[in-house]
Amino acid sequence: MYVTSRFILAKETKNRLKSRPHRFGFGLFGETTFYRSYSRIKENGENENWADVVIRVTEGIFSIKKDYMTKHNLPWDENLAQRYAKDFATSFFDMKWMPPGRGLWMMGTEYVYKRGSAALYNCAAVDTSDLANSANWAMDMLMLGAGVGFNTAWDGKASYPDKSHPKTYVIEDSKEGWITSVKLLIESYTKGGPYYRFDYSKIRPAGTPLKTFGGVAAGPKPLKKLHKAIEKTFERYLKKEIDKTRAVVDIFNYIGVCVVSGNIRRSAEIAIGEPTDKTFLNLKNYKLYPDRAKIGWISNNSVMLKSLDDFKYIDSLVDNIYKNGEPGILYLKNIQRYGRFCEEIEDGAWLSNPCGEIALESYELCNLSEIFISKCQSLEEFLKMCDFATFYASTVNLLPTHRPETNRVIARNRRVGVSISGIADFIEKNSIDTLINWMRQGYNKVREKNRELAKECGIPESIKVTAVKPSGTISILAGTSPGMHYPIYRYAVRRIRISKKSPLAQRLKSLPHQEDIFDKETLVFEFPIKYDNPKSIEDISIFEQMTLLLTLQREWSDNMVSNTIEFDKKKITPKDLAKIIKYFLPQLKSTTLLPKNEQIFPQMPFEKIDKDEYESRVKETEKISLEKIFGHHGQNEIFCGSRSCQL
């Protein structure tokens, strides 16, 4: 048991939260997103409502703090904690700030209390020098819901295992059983380990509820397919049909697809390669590598430029970027030298999480929190939200994970990422100079609070404390633009996929919906939405986007800024693109550029409409109450797109 001393919110505070009215962003779409993705099933079979989640998460984070203080014989003032928790929970309830999706789903659960904090973290990365151990760790973190970054550092040493006398390994019906089987299989090729025949008989059948983690089991089929894929990858590598870059990325991509197929929340990856590695640069060239089409979508791919000398490779990279937005670019010198520009902070990180807002060391995790700056009515209120968001993020890493190699890094770095979202909304509502002023004072507040908490707990203060994450579904709940980005369209139809068998889908059946063209067991529901921002990304030039990115890296984020900079091929040539990257990258740590996509395809998640159609759809949308839903198992999207990774 990791947490034994529990914090319980005062009855008065709970009752106040339960009676307090709330409004999700984008109305029914935001509420549906909440119930679809973050509402757990209570003991009586009913799904949590918003107040239930706020109470669970608040009690969970304060329990971690109370337990740490108690176990280390440090002062704990229950009355002071109750007063602070009341304001903390109220502002959280009003969606002025929020934990990340991982926190909404897992904080305050028995799973975390009994198994440690790993399921609370958004961001993860691992060096693949030891291929078996890194694959084991990556699969572990993916199954817990973290996005995982990895490089291609494996030395390529492998040999055929002796299959004449295989051992039998009975796979336990647990996460640990799955990841151990993968490690053993890889070691049989990379470390001369014994060859195994796997017994899947103990794995529970598909559709069985996962009581501790949430969701439903997929049965042994995804794991069987993964084992076969790993064996085939090594066989092809040893026959020299593929090189080591393909071997590493294919194995990690197969692992990611297995995790998604296994219904263990979202799986997102980023592969990090060298700018001179032609295989790496063509990983999503499915004409060249058609067999990768079924797995390549699971990861974003980025190259690491180590110094200004590597800028010479940008000219050769832009052709691929111009076609499909990959690879993204990471700049190691700035990652390891700077916090905000130009504040020098020495950092040993050389990897990244999938969405590019956190640079990480190998086996390191980072947790995030998010402030919706456009919902703050004053600087004073924003600074108060900085206080609460820093408390949440800084407290998570007081609780150890179940992985010693990870605890070693976290204990040293204590890395967190207090993020801001609704930035584009704030700029249009106020001004860029007001934003800069708020960010400067906000950063100081985050540092001050983190330092205060570290001193109180007798630990090092965090090496870095701020970021800008892509936000995704969390900004939908709050009703703001995501991260640094302007809305894709001001008026749109948003589509959300829900299992046919879900009680939530049954409740929504009076809304416009279709059967998913890719999955007959899923329904696609449509919602009209409007962003309260006079501009969309269609109105913002590439130069405005890059300048905003630079401003956020200079004034707020001492980690990185997740960004997808969109450009119009009708206005920008590949030569222009290379020049723009070279102009801005010396002051950045990461960037991803994406050509604007006007392609229309069936059941798009985000489709443009005009004001008249929006108003017509709103009038036709039936009012539906989602309170008192019973038995819906939380779901999430099964991909990580270029625009956002919704962790």
Side-chain angles (χ1 to χ4, degrees), residues 168-224:
T168 299
Y169 181 78
V170 180
I171 301 172
E172 293 295 328
D173 185 31
S174 65
K175 174 175 66 69
E176 291 74 19
W178 284 44
I179 66 174
T180 299
S181 70
V182 168
K183 181 181 179 182
L184 292 173
L185 178 57
I186 294 175
E187 286 181 337
S188 70
Y189 285 91
T190 62
K191 296 185 178 181
Y195 181 75
Y196 287 91
R197 295 290 183 193
F198 295 115
D199 181 339
Y200 304 90
S201 61
K202 285 190 175 183
I203 297 177
R204 75 192 80 183
T208 307
L210 302 172
K211 294 182 179 179
T212 54
F213 195 80
V216 293
K221 186 177 178 180
L223 185 60
K224 289 180 180 179

Side-chain angles (χ1 to χ4, degrees), residues 6-10 62 66 70 75-85:
R6 306 291 175 88
F7 176 87
I8 306 297
L9 267 174
F62 278 82
K66 180 177 181 178
T70 302
W76 172 259
D77 187 327
E78 184 72 18
N79 291 329
L80 181 63
Q82 287 288 350
R83 291 195 297 272
Y84 186 77

Side-chain angles (χ1 to χ4, degrees), residues 362-379:
S362 187
Y363 298 106
E364 187 176 12
L365 299 174
C366 180
N367 66 91
L368 310 176
S369 58
E370 190 164 3
I371 303 161
F372 300 98
I373 191 168
S374 58
K375 297 185 73 170
C376 296
Q377 301 303 311
S378 66
L379 173 59

Side-chain angles (χ1 to χ4, degrees), residues 54 155 175 180 194 221 239 336 455 520 570:
V54 171
D155 63 11
K175 174 175 66 69
T180 299
K221 186 177 178 180
K239 291 176 183 177
Q336 295 189 331
K455 185 176 180 181
K520 292 182 179 181
K570 297 174 184 177

Side-chain angles (χ1 to χ4, degrees), residues 229-237 242 246-247 250-251 254:
I230 291 174
E231 285 206 58
K232 184 178 179 180
T233 299
F234 276 116
E235 297 291 331
R236 293 186 68 197
Y237 173 68
I242 60 174
R246 275 288 309 268
D250 284 10
I251 287 170
Y254 277 122

Side-chain angles (χ1 to χ4, degrees), residues 503-515:
L504 179 59
Q506 300 306 312
R507 187 74 67 91
L508 295 169
K509 273 200 168 180
S510 62
L511 298 179
H513 66 276
Q514 304 168 354
E515 187 178 89

Side-chain angles (χ1 to χ4, degrees), residues 373-418:
I373 191 168
S374 58
K375 297 185 73 170
C376 296
Q377 301 303 311
S378 66
L379 173 59
E380 290 70 27
E381 185 177 45
F382 173 63
L383 295 178
K384 195 171 184 180
M385 297 311 107
C386 289
D387 188 292
F388 294 141
T390 306
F391 176 86
Y392 177 90
S394 301
T395 300
V396 168
N397 63 40
L398 294 177
L399 182 64
T401 74
H402 62 293
R403 304 285 304 216
E405 67 271 52
T406 297
N407 293 336
R408 186 184 309 116
V409 186
I410 290 176
R412 171 164 41 83
N413 287 342
R414 302 282 174 179
R415 192 187 306 271
V416 300
V418 178

